[in-house]
Amino acid sequence: MRRVHITVFAQEFGQCEAAALLKMTQGALSKAIRRGRDIYVTLHVDGSCTAEEVRSFPSQNPTKNQLAEAIAI
């Protein structure tokens, strides 16, 4: 069993194959990488792959008003 960041996983297998292994589209994988999401892929000994995202709790995206207030400060 091996755990790697999604960017490393995509570099090793290529985005198309990596997405297929994770049962997602290549576009969704590309967007996750572009956004810098903190996702780790676990490669299991049976050849299967699972992925999980590490996020802070609570993990709410700031609203437009909160962003505007932060910029104004």
Side-chain angles (χ1 to χ4, degrees), residues 11-71:
Q11 287 173 349
E12 287 181 12
F13 291 94
Q15 283 192 7
C16 290
E17 186 177 348
L21 288 168
L22 293 172
K23 297 178 176 71
M24 61 189 303
T25 65
Q26 181 273 328
L29 177 64
S30 177
K31 185 175 181 180
I33 292 170
R34 272 194 328 251
R35 293 272 188 164
R37 293 173 62 179
D38 199 14
I39 301 171
Y40 290 89
V41 179
T42 303
L43 301 144
H44 301 280
V45 291
D46 65 356
S48 64
C49 302
T50 55
E52 59 187 353
E53 183 171 12
V54 178
R55 297 178 71 168
S56 61
F57 180 81
S59 61
Q60 291 182 337
N61 292 329
T63 63
K64 289 181 182 178
N65 290 340
Q66 291 170 329
L67 289 173
E69 290 173 5
I71 292 171

